[in-house]
Structure formats: structure tokens, C-alpha cells
């Protein structure tokens, strides 16, 4: 089912998450995702057209076995269901997914944070210790470097060895760029 980004549940903007096979594939994947999103914006009816990029999950198995749903249990005893609504992929290399987060108790949409996304992704691999993914958070291009650095440091404290360098997104031009660690 294809939905217009402006018709997202409860008026929320579409959340987008990139899945990438390896860190070596990240730069190329960002260029290709950038081209894909530019195409979507030119159509203006695609659910990816006005999505909010959250980050990139780098883990080789997830790219070919994308989850359809991820559950996240909050300390407040609420459960957030992250449903993958639509995906586009270069099979085996990268995929971009539109994600709809809904609180199961209230049925309301939820704004996702890097922590929420990471907790849900890490929970996917809990039973398989051989699967250790890394996360590259996305920031709007004009986010001050000091703010980006503080967020990367905070994420590294909470998720040791799981955080890769940031990705910058230009919402006007649509450009994606990777900052090396």
C-alpha cells in the first residue's frame, strides 16, 4: 500500500531508516539513497518524498532480512510498535525503509529519537551475538558541530562500540554526506 507522506498517520512525517550491509558501503549507499529520494521528491506523491531521515543501521544480515516490525518497551510500561510500511532496496547492499511508530496502549503516533531506534534495532539481534550492528545518526546539515559532537559522545556512552560517524542531510537540496569517524 502506498501512502502520501502528507497523509501519514496522525499527520506525522514519515520516518526513514537506511539499512546498509557494511561500513565500506555507507558512502555509496548514501549517494544512491540521495538519488532515490530526489526521484521521490520529483514525484511528490511517494511516501519517501518528505521523509525524515533518522539514521543508518550497518549490519550485513539485516539488509537482506529487513524486519517488518520492531517492538520497543519503554520504562513507562508502554510498548512502541515500529512498523516498516514500505521499503526500497538495492538488494544485498542497502535498503531504505519508511517506519511508522505507534504506541500500542494509546494508539497514538510517536516521535522517534536515536535512542528509541537503536534500542529497537539492538533488540532484533539479541539472540545472535554474532550480529553486532552499528548506527550512524543523521543530522540536518546546518546542525552545529558542537551539538553533533555532544550527541555522538552521548550515544557512545549509552551504546559503546555501536555508533559510527554522523551522516548529514540537506533538507533543501536533498544531499547526504558521511563524516568519517
Amino acid at each position: 500500500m502506498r501512502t502520501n507522506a502528507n497523509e501519514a498517520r496522525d499527520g506525522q512525517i514519515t520516518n526513514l531508516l537506511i539499512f546498509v550491509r557494511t561500513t565500506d558501503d555507507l558512502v555509496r549507499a548514501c549517494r544512491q539513497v540521495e538519488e532515490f529520494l530526489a526521484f521521490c521528491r520529483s514525484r511528490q506523491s511517494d511516501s519517501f518524498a518528505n521523509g525524515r531521515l533518522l539514521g543508518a543501521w550497518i549490519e550485513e544480515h539485516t539488509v537482506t532480512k529487513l524486519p517488518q516490525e520492531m517492538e520497543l518497551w519503554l520504562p513507562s510500561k508502554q510498548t512502541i510498535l515500529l512498523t516498516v510500511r514500505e521499503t526500497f532496496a538495492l538488494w544485498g547492499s542497502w535498503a531504505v525503509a519508511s517506519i511508522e511508530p505507534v504506541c500500542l496502549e494509546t494508539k497514538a503516533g510517536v516521535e522517534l529519537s536515536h535512542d528509541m531506534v537503536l534500542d529497537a534495532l539492538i533488540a532484533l539481534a539479541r539472540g545472535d551475538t554474532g550480529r553486532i550492528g552499528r548506527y550512524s545518526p543523521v543530522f540536518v546539515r546546518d546542525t552545529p558541530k558542537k551539538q553533533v559532537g555532544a550527541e555522538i559522545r552521548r550515544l557512545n556512552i549509552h551504546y559503546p562500540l555501536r555508533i559510527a560517524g554522523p551522516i548529514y542531510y540537506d533538507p533543501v537540496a536533498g544531499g547526504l554526506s558521511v563524516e568519517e569517524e
Side-chain angles (χ1 to χ4, degrees), residues 3-41:
T3 59
N4 185 313
N6 297 325
E7 298 171 355
R9 184 182 187 121
D10 298 328
Q12 286 190 346
I13 196 161
T14 302
N15 293 285
L16 302 177
L17 186 59
I18 301 169
F19 294 88
V20 182
R21 184 173 48 109
T22 68
T23 304
D24 292 339
D25 296 325
L26 187 59
V27 171
R28 182 173 43 88
C30 282
R31 277 195 313 267
Q32 292 171 342
V33 168
E34 176 183 324
E35 291 171 9
F36 168 68
L37 295 176
F39 171 76
C40 292
R41 281 190 303 280

Side-chain angles (χ1 to χ4, degrees), residues 4-151:
N4 185 313
N6 297 325
E7 298 171 355
R9 184 182 187 121
D10 298 328
Q12 286 190 346
I13 196 161
T14 302
N15 293 285
L16 302 177
L17 186 59
I18 301 169
F19 294 88
V20 182
R21 184 173 48 109
T22 68
T23 304
D24 292 339
D25 296 325
L26 187 59
V27 171
R28 182 173 43 88
C30 282
R31 277 195 313 267
Q32 292 171 342
V33 168
E34 176 183 324
E35 291 171 9
F36 168 68
L37 295 176
F39 171 76
C40 292
R41 281 190 303 280
S42 73
R43 293 178 49 205
Q44 293 191 6
S45 63
D46 193 286
S47 63
F48 293 100
N50 297 310
R52 172 182 162 234
L53 279 168
L54 300 167
W57 182 244
I58 305 160
E59 196 272 315
E60 65 181 310
H61 301 293
T62 310
V63 171
T64 56
K65 296 177 183 172
L66 286 175
Q68 294 304 301
E69 294 180 337
M70 297 176 275
E71 285 188 342
L72 176 62
W73 296 275
L74 300 179
S76 62
K77 305 292 185 217
Q78 291 182 318
T79 305
I80 306 299
L81 182 64
L82 286 77
T83 304
V84 175
R85 291 291 176 207
E86 192 170 6
T87 60
F88 184 86
L90 179 58
W91 186 249
S93 183
W94 62 264
V96 63
S98 67
I99 309 238
E100 180 181 310
V102 175
C103 177
L104 294 180
E105 289 75 18
T106 65
K107 306 298 185 224
V110 176
E111 185 170 338
L112 290 174
S113 67
H114 293 298
D115 294 279
M116 294 170 90
V117 171
L118 265 161
D119 288 344
L121 289 165
I122 290 169
L124 280 177
R126 281 231 165 86
D128 186 353
T129 56
R131 290 176 54 187
I132 298 178
R134 297 191 72 207
Y135 181 74
S136 284
V138 170
F139 297 92
V140 174
R141 183 164 321 280
D142 61 359
T143 304
K145 292 270 188 201
K146 189 174 182 177
Q147 184 180 338
V148 170
E151 178 66 359

